[in-house]
Amino acid sequence: MSFQSTEHYIVSDELALAVNAAVTLEKPLLIKGEPGTGKTRLAEELAQTLGAELISWPIKSTTKAQHGLYEYDAVSRLRDSQLGSDKVHDIGNYIRPGKLWQAFTAEQRPVLLIDEIDKADIEFPNDLLYELDRMAFYVHETGEEVAAKQRPIVIITSNNEKELPDAFLRRCFFHYIRFPDAALLTEIVGVHFPNIQQQLLSTALEVFFELRELPNLKKKPSTSELLDWLKLLLAEDIPAEVLQDKQQKGGLMPMFGALLKNEQDVALVEKLAFMARRR
C-alpha cells in the first residue's frame, strides 16, 4: 500500500511515509499535533482510499478500555428476569460489542480510529496494551475469546494534552504533524477553494501567519479555522484590499471570530492594533 494526498486531503511527504510505515509494520500509528491539523481527517481519508470501513472510537474523560472491548448490560438482564423473559437464559443477549470487537470481527480489514486518546485517564493506554499486542481478548461472561480475523489499521490521535506511558509508545509508530508552511497551506486551501483569487489568498495567509506569531497568544488559529475564515471572506465578498488596509493601519481583521476563540486573544490583538495606530 502507498498512501498519498487525495483529491480532498493534502498530506506532507513525511506524513504519507509514516502512514505507509505503520501499515507495513502492522503497528498502531500515533498521530500528535495541534488541534485542527487534520488528524481525525487522516483516518477518514485513509479508509476511503482503501475502500475500507472506518470504525471510529472517540475518547472522553470517562472512557475506559473495557468500553472498547464489550459491555455487559446487567441491568437489562435483571429487568428481563423480573419480567420472566426467556432471553435471560442466554447471557450473550446482554453483551454489547465495543469498537475493538467490531474491528476484530470485521469481514474486511477496517481502519480503527482511536480519537483523542489523551482525554482519557492515564491508565487507559496501558489497559489497551494486551489487546493491541495480541489482537484478541477474553469475554469472561461467556467464556469465549474474540480474536482478530485480520489485523486492523489502527490510527490513534492525541492533542498532546497528557503524556502517554512509555510502554504504550513503544508499541506505536509515532508521527507529529508539524504546522503547514505557506506553500502547503496554499495547496490545502486550493483543494477547498479552487477558485479563490490569489491576491486574497496571499494577503489572508500573511495576516494569518502574523497572527499565529503574536507573542502571548493563548490559542493559535489552526488550519481548520483558516478554512472557516476564508469561507466567510468569500461568502461576504470581502476583497484583499480590506485585509491589506486592516493590516497596515491596525485593527481586528474582518470575521475575526473564526480565528480568535477567547476574549484574552481578542484583547491582545486590539491592544497591539491600538499601539500600532498611535505609532
Side-chain angles (χ1 to χ4, degrees):
M1 191 201 80
S2 181
F3 178 70
Q4 300 292 338
S5 296
T6 68
E7 182 181 354
H8 306 290
Y9 184 74
I10 302 297
V11 298
S12 65
D13 293 339
E14 293 81 8
L15 178 54
L17 182 62
V19 172
N20 296 322
V23 173
T24 300
L25 294 173
E26 295 189 328
K27 287 191 172 186
L29 174 61
L30 174 61
I31 297 288
K32 290 187 177 182
E34 293 182 30
T37 50
K39 300 185 294 296
T40 302
R41 183 72 182 276
L42 170 66
E44 297 170 354
E45 291 295 327
L46 178 59
Q48 186 172 350
T49 298
L50 298 177
E53 178 187 5
L54 174 65
I55 299 175
S56 181
W57 185 14
I59 305 303
K60 303 177 182 178
S61 59
T62 56
T63 302
K64 303 297 182 185
Q66 181 65 32
H67 297 158
L69 307 181
Y70 68 93
E71 294 183 71
Y72 169 50
D73 192 352
V75 175
S76 292
R77 193 182 189 202
L78 175 61
R79 184 184 65 245
D80 287 346
S81 69
Q82 292 170 339
L83 296 173
S85 173
D86 290 337
K87 288 176 60 179
V88 298
H89 301 300
D90 183 0
I91 197 172
N93 290 326
Y94 305 95
I95 302 295
R96 306 287 183 258
K99 298 299 184 180
L100 264 70
W101 187 324
Q102 295 174 31
F104 287 0
T105 57
E107 291 299 324
Q108 295 184 340
R109 190 184 196 188
V111 174
L112 173 63
L113 169 63
I114 304 177
D115 205 14
E116 299 189 337
I117 194 173
D118 51 328
K119 283 187 176 180
D121 183 85
I122 188 61
E123 292 303 319
F124 177 85
N126 281 332
D127 291 342
L128 282 180
L129 290 179
Y130 182 77
E131 287 74 19
L132 290 178
D133 263 354
R134 290 190 65 243
M135 284 289 151
F137 61 89
Y138 188 72
V139 183
H140 298 279
E141 288 79 4
T142 62
E144 67 176 308
E145 184 183 60
V146 177
K149 294 182 177 181
Q150 59 270 315
R151 183 175 287 266
I153 299 172
V154 182
I155 306 292
I156 304 173
T157 71
S158 169
N159 288 327
N160 227 9
E161 295 178 0
K162 191 182 300 178
E163 287 296 323
L164 299 174
D166 289 344
F168 179 80
L169 295 174
R170 183 169 59 82
R171 289 165 169 82
C172 298
F173 189 92
F174 171 76
H175 182 76
Y176 183 86
I177 298 181
R178 294 184 179 88
F179 195 81
D181 58 17
L184 186 55
L185 266 185
T186 299
E187 283 189 61
I188 293 171
V189 171
V191 166
H192 294 270
F193 309 108
N195 298 320
I196 190 171
Q197 293 182 355
Q198 288 304 306
Q199 185 181 2
L200 175 62
L201 175 57
S202 177
T203 305
L205 287 180
E206 190 175 333
V207 171
F208 176 75
F209 278 110
E210 285 182 0
L211 185 61
R212 278 185 56 88
E213 292 168 5
L214 286 179
N216 303 319
L217 198 68
K218 188 173 182 180
K219 183 193 177 305
K220 294 181 179 182
S222 67
T223 305
S224 63
E225 288 159 341
L226 169 65
L227 295 174
D228 288 343
W229 184 48
L230 289 173
K231 184 176 181 178
L232 290 172
L233 294 179
L234 292 171
E236 296 297 323
D237 199 22
I238 296 175
E241 291 76 20
V242 173
L243 294 184
Q244 291 171 338
D245 186 60
K246 290 289 184 181
Q247 186 183 28
Q248 293 168 2
K249 297 181 179 178
L252 289 170
M253 67 290 296
M255 306 295 176
F256 68 88
L259 298 176
L260 301 174
K261 297 302 177 74
N262 59 69
E263 60 275 17
Q264 295 97 318
D265 289 345
V266 172
L268 173 63
V269 173
E270 287 177 331
K271 180 181 178 181
L272 293 174
F274 175 74
M275 295 171 61
R277 285 195 297 269
R278 291 191 64 180
R279 287 198 296 268

